[in-house]
Amino acid sequence: MVDGASAETDGSPPDESASGSDAPGGSDAPGDDAPSDGDTDSIPDDEREALVTIAHGAVVTSGGVSGQRALTAATEFVLARGLGPTAYGVYALAWRIAQLLSRLVTFGSVPALQRYLPEYADDPRRRGVVAGLAYATTLGFGAAIAAGVWLAAPRINDLTVGEAAFPGAMRAFGFLVGFLGVVMVASGIFRAVGSARGEIAFNKLLRPGVRLVAAVAALALGYSIGGVAVGIVAATALLAAVAVPLAARVTGVVPSLRGARLEARRFYDHAAPVAMSSLGKVFQNRVDVLLVGALLTATAAGVYNVVLVLIAIAWIPLMSFNQLLPPVASELYGNGRTATLNAVYASVTRQIVTAVVPILAVLAVYGRELLGLFGDPYVAGYVPLVVYLGGVFVGSAVGATGWLLMMTDHQYARMALDWLLAVLNVALTYAFVVRFGLVGAALGTSLAIAAQNGIQVLLLRRFEGLWPFDRTFLTPLAAGGVAILAMRAVRAAAPGRAAVVVGAAIGLAAYAATLRTLGVDPRDRLVARRLAERYRTALRRRFRR
């Protein structure tokens, strides 16, 4: 999950409800007292500002994340075609393990940046110390992980694919983890100060971009798995060396460890439980990758990796809206504006659902054709893909539950839940993979995502009174059903890859028409109108130049 891959949630600020109902603001659900159709004047100014800020960040981020997914898909396409199913499976397992470790290498530093840099906006010294602690923590854990991977690579190979090329690739990717962590921290600084473009440039575009360039160059020079791995490590190291000074120059947050001892306790009080949550999430929703490698074949690992490439596309809406939600939520919560936070949470979650439903529909209907682009052996991943999409839907439908837990200082509750479900998921996924193969891997992860996010949204309501759902969520669901019927009709009339573009276009048109017919929430219309005006003005100014 990402985490976009899983939504995360829980909390309990002061009750601002005059009537004492569970939802702040005194309504049974946040959208029930929404302005009537066509009426946006009654939306409070602070809510308008927050919604437009988050939506603008989502628009900017969606372009960056879409570019990231395109670059990632291109890299996997090149490698799948260039290496062949078995060799690609070996690479894919080593790469996925490195990705899992990269989730741990910052030791919760990136969420801590989101929590404290906005709070220390008027104190450059404390901002610098927080950034310094983030970098130092990441480098320390990166070195430890590289050493551990170097020693463990042969044993991992014996327990999984048993291929001669795996230990060398895994050892190279062990060094990659630290460099990825540095880039993530630099990107997190951009994000924490509200710069979506900086975070997108480094984390969403340049990071996968250098991997694609390195992979293509290595294959063109005749290298196989080992050469590809070394090339990716070298390119990422160069990116990390550029990212750190550039982030400091652009954001004004200059890393420093002077006075770090005074700041460290508060920093690690937030970062440590988040890091433990991340470790729990590795076992909770990424144990599938490890079990596929350990219990199935190298080819199966390659097929599952391609499934995850398509799944990553479905996480784009959640990731995009979560770009600027954490600092906005931190500010609202810190100022005691819980009612506004709840209204923003409800509106943003509905917008995420509206954006993700058509993506899920296209992947469900045309998944076989899309998997077939990587080669005929990868079509075997269609059923696992559809099963996994169920978890994506639940994770997206509850919104940014995990970020809200962290931004409302409930990181310990999240950590406990992560580990509780991690233990359960390891047992269930192991049983599912042994019994059902690749489908079992997808089923275990999908159930873990659904269980975690379902519990987290209940915890948010219990602790903070935050609750996103109301009847307006039914509109995109109904529109999605119409879109699926339209695409299935096109698929039946014109089967094959050639019908994918036409069918998807017709399905999206049916989705938009149904939304318009059923009616769009006034808050969503307000955001769309404000952003359209903003972009039109920006375009006019640019053309005048």
Side-chain angles (χ1 to χ4, degrees):
M1 345 200 243
V2 222
D3 173 64
S6 80
E8 309 152 348
T9 321
D10 167 25
S12 146
D15 186 6
E16 295 181 7
S17 168
S19 65
S21 69
D22 290 338
S27 62
D28 293 334
D32 290 346
D33 61 345
S36 61
D37 200 35
D39 176 17
T40 61
D41 293 338
S42 60
I43 301 175
D45 289 341
D46 55 352
E47 183 181 339
R48 291 173 182 244
E49 180 182 353
L51 287 174
V52 173
T53 297
I54 293 169
H56 172 61
V59 171
V60 175
T61 303
S62 63
V65 175
S66 297
Q68 178 195 38
R69 299 314 193 211
L71 290 168
T72 299
T75 303
E76 303 303 334
F77 177 82
V78 168
L79 291 172
R81 293 283 188 174
L83 295 175
T86 300
Y88 174 70
V90 173
Y91 159 84
L93 180 61
W95 171 252
R96 288 294 172 180
I97 292 174
Q99 281 196 314
L100 297 183
L101 295 174
S102 71
R103 297 184 58 177
L104 308 177
V105 69
T106 63
F107 195 71
S109 295
V110 173
L113 290 170
Q114 312 304 309
R115 177 65 182 88
Y116 295 125
L117 288 189
E119 181 177 332
Y120 300 159
D122 299 327
D123 192 339
R125 185 196 63 80
R126 295 187 75 181
R127 277 187 155 197
V129 172
V130 169
L133 285 169
Y135 281 122
T137 301
T138 299
L139 289 172
F141 276 89
I145 287 172
V149 169
W150 185 273
L151 296 174
R155 181 59 178 163
I156 296 173
N157 183 50
D158 293 340
L159 294 173
T160 56
V161 291
E163 296 284 341
F166 180 84
M170 191 69 257
R171 282 172 166 169
F173 282 151
F175 291 99
L176 176 70
V177 171
F179 297 131
L180 287 175
V182 171
V183 176
M184 291 162 61
V185 170
S187 302
I189 292 174
F190 278 111
R191 181 180 182 182
V193 302
S195 175
R197 292 179 181 177
E199 199 272 346
I200 289 166
F202 279 100
N203 208 31
K204 303 296 191 293
L205 297 179
L206 291 176
R207 188 154 67 100
V210 298
R211 185 165 76 101
L212 174 59
V213 171
V216 170
L219 291 175
L221 292 173
Y223 291 106
S224 187
I225 302 171
V228 168
V230 171
I232 291 173
V233 173
T236 306
L238 180 61
L239 178 62
V242 172
V244 175
L246 191 59
R249 186 180 312 133
V250 173
T251 65
V253 179
V254 180
S256 173
L257 292 178
R258 292 183 178 178
R261 183 177 300 179
L262 297 175
E263 196 67 45
R265 181 173 181 177
R266 191 177 190 210
F267 179 89
Y268 289 115
D269 184 58
H270 191 90
V274 172
M276 295 305 295
S277 293
S278 297
L279 181 58
K281 284 185 181 304
V282 168
F283 294 99
Q284 186 188 335
N285 20 335
R286 276 297 174 260
V287 73
D288 52 349
V289 175
L290 303 177
L291 291 176
V292 166
L295 301 176
L296 304 179
T297 64
T299 300
V303 171
Y304 198 67
N305 191 62
V306 171
V307 170
L308 295 180
V309 170
L310 295 185
I311 287 295
I313 298 172
W315 287 119
I316 290 176
L318 181 63
M319 291 182 62
S320 298
F321 279 95
N322 283 1
Q323 181 68 24
L324 294 183
L325 178 62
V328 170
S330 177
E331 180 185 1
L332 292 174
Y333 181 74
N335 293 330
R337 291 148 66 187
T338 311
T340 300
L341 175 58
N342 189 70
V344 169
Y345 172 41
S347 295
V348 169
T349 303
R350 182 179 56 250
Q351 291 161 17
I352 292 170
V353 172
T354 303
V356 78
V357 163
I359 297 175
L360 297 178
V362 171
L363 291 175
V365 175
Y366 293 112
R368 286 190 179 88
E369 291 78 3
L370 295 173
L371 289 166
L373 295 175
F374 294 84
D376 292 339
Y378 301 99
V379 178
Y382 175 69
V383 176
L385 172 68
V386 173
V387 172
Y388 208 130
L389 292 177
V392 175
F393 173 74
V394 175
S396 299
V398 300
T401 54
W403 278 113
L404 287 175
L405 275 176
M406 290 185 288
M407 295 305 102
T408 54
D409 295 330
H410 292 284
Q411 60 269 23
Y412 283 98
R414 180 190 165 191
M415 179 188 71
L417 178 60
D418 282 339
W419 276 98
L420 175 64
L421 292 177
V423 173
L424 177 63
N425 184 55
V426 169
L428 288 178
T429 303
Y430 177 85
F432 290 155
V433 172
V434 170
R435 178 68 178 84
F436 302 112
L438 282 183
V439 176
L443 179 61
T445 302
S446 186
L447 288 176
I449 294 171
Q452 166 133 19
N453 286 286
I455 294 172
Q456 285 182 161
V457 77
L458 293 176
L459 289 176
L460 269 183
R461 178 158 185 151
R462 171 65 179 84
F463 292 144
E464 299 290 353
L466 302 178
W467 183 251
F469 304 118
D470 60 28
R471 60 179 177 270
T472 61
F473 280 70
L474 297 176
T475 300
L477 298 182
V482 173
I484 289 175
L485 292 176
M487 286 187 286
R488 287 181 64 86
V490 173
R491 192 174 187 275
R497 296 176 187 172
V500 174
V501 175
V502 175
I506 291 176
L508 293 176
Y511 182 75
T514 306
L515 281 180
R516 184 178 182 86
T517 300
L518 296 177
V520 178
D521 186 87
R523 286 178 171 83
D524 300 345
R525 289 204 315 274
L526 168 70
V527 168
R529 186 172 65 248
R530 291 278 295 274
L531 291 182
E533 293 172 355
R534 180 174 184 171
Y535 300 146
R536 278 197 300 267
T537 300
L539 287 174
R540 281 197 298 266
R541 289 175 179 171
R542 176 161 298 184
F543 283 123
R544 285 173 186 170
R545 294 175 184 173

